[in-house]
Amino acid sequence: LKFFFPGFYLTVGLISKTYLSLSFAVRFVNCGRGGLVRFECSNPSDFRIEADGVVYAARSIQHSTLPALLLLIKASDTATQQQWVTQVMLTPSTHSSQQDLKEITFPSRNTDSQLKRMKRDWVIPPINVPENSRGPFPQELVRIRSDHDKNRSLRYSVTGPGADQPPTGIFIIDPISGELSVNKPLDREHISNFHLRAHAVDLNGNQVENPIDIVINVIDMNDNRPEFTHQIWNGTVPEGSKPGTFVMTVTSVDKDDPKTANGMLRYKILSQNPESPTSNMFTINNKTGGIITVAAGLDREKVPQYTLIIQATDMEGNPMYGLSNTATAVIRVTDINDNPPEFTAETFFGEVPENRVNVIVANLTVTDKDQPNTPAWNAVYKITGGDPTGRFSVPTDPTTNEGLVTVVKPIDYEISRTYVLTVEARNEVPLARGIHSPRQSTATVSIRVIDVNESPYFEPNPKLVKLEEGMMPESSLTTFTAQDPDRFMQQTIRYSKLSDPANWLRIDPNTGRITTIAILDRESPFVKNSLYNATFLASDSGVPPASGTGTLQIYLLDINDNAPKVFPQEAEICEKPEPNAINITALDGDLNPNAGPFAFELAHRPPDVRRNWTITRISGDYAQMSLKISFLETGIYEIPIIITDSGNLPMSNTSYLRIKVCQCDINGDCTDQQHIMAAGLGTGAIIAILLCIIILLILVLLFVVWMKRRDKERQAKQLLIDPEDDVRDNILKYDEEGGGEEDQDYDLSQLQQPDTIEPDAIKPVGIRRLDERPLHPEPQYPMRSAAPHPGDIGDFINEGLKAADNDPTAPPYDSLLVFDYEGSGSTAGSLSSLNSSSSGGDQDYDYLNDWGPRFRKLADMYGGSDD
């Protein structure tokens, strides 16, 4: 339909079967005005108009509820406020769907099957299908037709995603009529458009038309709410910020088409908590979501945090048709240094003993309303007056933020008894612009110095005294006194010696006068580089007493008190004067000029010294010894040499040079055994080695003697053992328990005279022990006479042994013995193969004592008394 109105060119397109869900467009021709035109619709509840003039149905409208509808479209020029109005009449279609259905025809071809040039009209426009349609399905979209269907039957089909490719079954086509239908609701957020190809073939499957492309666009519906990327947003803003300060940006997304109003979002602040100092401290850009401040008065000390509820609405923020969602924005007010530190008191007090360092005198406390443990809260203290020499410092306690007044240099009570300091407190960062430090940021610290007993001190320390060595005892050296720094205390000082390595000095305890008690010797091992150090102690009479030390350095001047000595003291020379000689020098403990140059001279006695030897001076400190004769017998010679130094009063000394004369090779080296001995071990070392060898041999000999003596004592001890103590032939008692009362109730006389046992006492037949002898005829053992002669005891034993060996009833010694049977009596006739035929009661066994200690035990058993 085309309508012409003044200033308008209006085009309306309406295609619907049951529901009105498509759109039409209104195009405004501004006739070259160039101004911005804004459109409005008279029925915004059912229709909405975009800025480009497209009118959309805001909701689905059924035919039954849609009579003839008149819409008023108004266009307004925003610059000149001029308005134009036109009318649009909408009526439901009364034609059938087959007549309303849009038809797409395949382009015709020539007879040679070559395609003609396609006209612009054959460019098939996209088919628009709204998403989330409620049906009914299938819903016809378009009809595809070929010009060849007039003279023969054709079959139509579509291919592509949504038809025969995943997702399949969305679009279907009637193969005979060519009607293309949608089979289910579409979702633009899933697939926004479909590209299909339509085919036409005859009944034999031969292609009669070239395929044509069909594009189906899914029209967006407002079916998705905006979603914030975070449910809780966190931001910060400094306190005291000016209006317009940027805080943060919140973001929301909408899955609907962002090119339509369905995906165009608008933001706004629903609430602010707390509403202090005003309820509108912040505002938000409705398009970008940027939050800024719009009012002054942000104070962290009053309101540290704000909570905003942010709403995002699509449909360009239309509260009636748009969908909304909310999120929370938490804005934390950050601290700035807008509160200076203030002391809790105007004056602080402290005291400190003198001469103490690193001592905390006073704790300075401050208050600061800024956020704790931040640079705006941390205090920094500075002494601005009262400490010109820098004896105090005020570091900050990191935990309590207190100022610790600390002594860093010693304080002398005698110089100053009190200190009054001026201390200023600041923060680590400067105060905010426009904030000034109040009077409370400065305080006074009064410090009292406590007098203590100080140690006396020597002046100078150390004290140097120069003296000649050799000073005699009881000589006065110097007076070494100490000073007491306690001028306000009446105290006395006493002196004592603390260190005197050579024990040469003595100090007067009252006056500090130092005298000698021994001769001072510069060559003493306690003197280093001619300096002798002694330490003295000075103690006052305070409570408690204090003491100080002082060092006296005595520089000893050298005198000629040491005679020179020859060096080296031992040397070697060949029997013949050629080809070598001996170079010698002298050692003198004194210093120059009391030492070299030296004069060397051979002694006059013994006479053969000057006859055999000669000495030649090489330089002031060296001389050369050599043989004067052509040959000297091998041996060791001690040559006296007189050496004189060069002191003001020269000193001479006779030193002995020990020279070994030996046979030499062509190189002048000794070749005899004495040379080997001299080059190797000395006499003392050889003697020590020999003594060790002798001691080792003596120890080995003593060990051998001790072992032999030990073997002899062991053999003698075996011979001296008492036969009664020999357990090999004795009867031992092991405290074994018997089988019961019947086993313990026995008659010892039966053991002594087994022949007297009554036959009735034998155990009845049928009761046998496992270890009992088998029932065989009793062997005939030899009978022992009542009073045998001692001489036939050996024959008797041998006969009994033979009988026992031939006895088949005798159990073996390693047989199993059972002792758990308790019978009426023992059937054993004897404990051994030795039988006694006499009663034994009146027999005399004393003769066994004469047979030796081995039979004495038998005599006690058989011949003893009843007890």
Side-chain angles (χ1 to χ4, degrees), residues 85-102:
V85 179
T86 186
Q87 296 181 354
V88 178
M89 181 65 69
L90 298 179
T91 58
S93 177
T94 57
H95 302 283
S96 63
S97 61
Q98 296 293 334
Q99 297 174 349
D100 295 338
L101 196 61
K102 184 178 180 181

Side-chain angles (χ1 to χ4, degrees), residues 439-462:
R439 184 178 58 85
Q440 290 79 6
S441 296
T442 303
T444 301
V445 183
S446 178
I447 302 173
R448 184 174 67 89
V449 182
I450 302 175
D451 189 17
V452 297
N453 187 20
E454 299 177 75
S455 301
Y457 62 94
F458 288 89
E459 185 68 30
N461 189 14

Side-chain angles (χ1 to χ4, degrees), residues 444-739:
T444 301
V445 183
S446 178
I447 302 173
R448 184 174 67 89
V449 182
I450 302 175
D451 189 17
V452 297
N453 187 20
E454 299 177 75
S455 301
Y457 62 94
F458 288 89
E459 185 68 30
N461 189 14
K463 184 176 182 179
L464 179 64
V465 178
K466 292 185 178 181
L467 301 170
E468 283 189 353
E469 65 172 330
M471 182 173 288
M472 301 304 295
E474 302 301 331
S475 300
S476 178
L477 296 184
T478 184
T479 300
F480 197 22
T481 58
Q483 305 295 326
D484 192 349
D486 297 317
R487 293 179 299 172
F488 302 100
M489 297 183 182
Q490 301 299 326
Q491 299 180 142
T492 59
I493 299 178
R494 295 185 63 83
Y495 303 94
S496 61
K497 186 171 62 175
L498 187 63
S499 173
D500 184 12
N503 198 22
W504 289 344
L505 307 176
R506 178 177 61 235
I507 188 170
D508 187 285
N510 297 318
T511 63
R513 186 174 183 81
I514 298 175
T515 56
T516 62
I517 58 176
I519 298 176
L520 305 184
D521 186 7
R522 193 198 65 84
E523 290 74 31
S524 170
F526 300 103
V527 178
K528 306 297 181 183
N529 299 324
S530 301
L531 278 178
Y532 179 76
N533 294 323
T535 306
F536 298 93
L537 183 70
S539 303
D540 61 17
S541 58
V543 180
S547 60
T549 59
T551 300
L552 178 65
Q553 292 183 336
I554 303 176
Y555 187 83
L556 295 175
L557 303 176
D558 185 40
I559 63 174
N560 194 13
D561 58 346
N562 291 279
K565 297 179 181 180
V566 68
F567 181 83
Q569 297 180 356
E570 295 182 357
E572 294 178 353
I573 196 170
C574 298
E575 294 174 330
K576 298 180 181 182
E578 297 297 337
N580 56 3
I582 303 172
N583 293 331
I584 62 173
T585 184
L587 297 179
D588 195 327
D590 296 324
L591 301 176
N592 290 328
N594 296 321
F598 301 101
F600 299 91
E601 182 184 3
L602 293 176
H604 295 276
R605 295 180 182 276
D608 58 348
V609 173
R610 287 179 172 265
R611 184 174 59 249
N612 298 335
W613 304 90
T614 180
I615 186 169
T616 303
R617 182 174 181 180
I618 300 176
S619 64
D621 295 333
Y622 290 92
Q624 190 176 73
M625 285 284 297
S626 60
L627 283 174
K628 190 175 183 180
I629 58 178
S630 60
F631 175 81
L632 184 61
E633 185 180 356
T634 301
I636 298 177
Y637 300 87
E638 292 187 354
I639 310 302
I641 301 175
I642 300 173
I643 305 176
T644 305
D645 60 20
S646 300
N648 189 13
L649 296 176
M651 294 191 69
S652 298
N653 181 34
T654 301
S655 298
Y656 288 88
L657 176 62
R658 191 168 182 265
I659 301 178
K660 186 182 74 169
V661 180
C662 59
Q663 297 178 358
C664 297
D665 55 15
I666 59 176
N667 297 323
D669 298 328
C670 289
T671 58
D672 55 358
Q673 297 296 326
Q674 293 180 357
H675 173 76
I676 297 175
M677 183 185 303
L681 299 175
T683 303
I686 295 175
I687 294 174
I689 293 175
L690 293 176
L691 288 177
C692 292
I693 294 174
I694 293 172
I695 293 173
L696 183 61
L697 293 175
I698 292 174
L699 292 176
V700 173
L701 182 61
L702 291 176
F703 179 76
V704 172
V705 172
W706 177 76
M707 290 295 295
K708 290 184 177 181
R709 182 175 180 183
R710 181 181 173 188
D711 293 340
K712 291 181 180 180
E713 291 179 354
R714 185 181 301 170
Q715 295 174 3
K717 184 180 294 183
Q718 293 179 355
L719 296 176
L720 295 177
I721 293 177
D722 189 358
E724 295 183 359
D725 298 333
D726 192 358
V727 299
R728 288 175 293 179
D729 297 326
N730 293 333
I731 299 176
L732 302 180
K733 182 180 179 182
Y734 289 96
D735 296 334
E736 294 182 354
E737 297 182 0

Side-chain angles (χ1 to χ4, degrees), residues 308-442:
L308 306 180
I309 304 299
I310 309 299
Q311 183 187 58
T313 307
D314 58 14
M315 299 298 292
E316 298 182 297
N318 191 319
M320 182 176 297
Y321 307 110
L323 302 177
S324 303
N325 211 338
T326 60
T328 302
V330 179
I331 301 176
R332 183 172 56 88
V333 182
T334 59
D335 186 37
I336 64 172
N337 193 14
D338 57 345
N339 293 281
E342 298 181 0
F343 285 99
T344 58
E346 294 183 358
T347 305
F348 296 86
F349 299 93
E351 59 183 19
V352 60
E354 63 174 332
N355 300 322
R356 296 282 299 276
V357 293
N358 297 325
V359 178
I360 297 177
V361 179
N363 290 29
L364 310 182
T365 56
V366 295
T367 59
D368 196 319
K369 297 179 181 179
D370 291 322
Q371 186 174 359
N373 301 316
T374 61
W377 179 82
N378 297 333
V380 178
Y381 301 89
K382 181 181 178 181
I383 299 176
T384 59
D387 185 23
T389 57
R391 299 185 179 275
F392 300 90
S393 68
V394 189
T396 304
D397 189 329
T399 304
T400 62
N401 208 30
E402 295 179 350
L404 308 178
V405 182
T406 307
V407 181
V408 295
K409 293 182 181 180
I411 300 174
D412 192 352
Y413 174 83
E414 286 70 27
I415 296 178
S416 179
R417 301 185 183 184
T418 59
Y419 288 88
V420 179
L421 308 179
T422 302
V423 182
E424 181 183 11
R426 297 180 180 178
N427 293 119
E428 292 181 354
V429 295
L431 291 172
R433 182 178 299 178
I435 306 297
H436 302 283
S437 297
R439 184 178 58 85
Q440 290 79 6
S441 296
T442 303

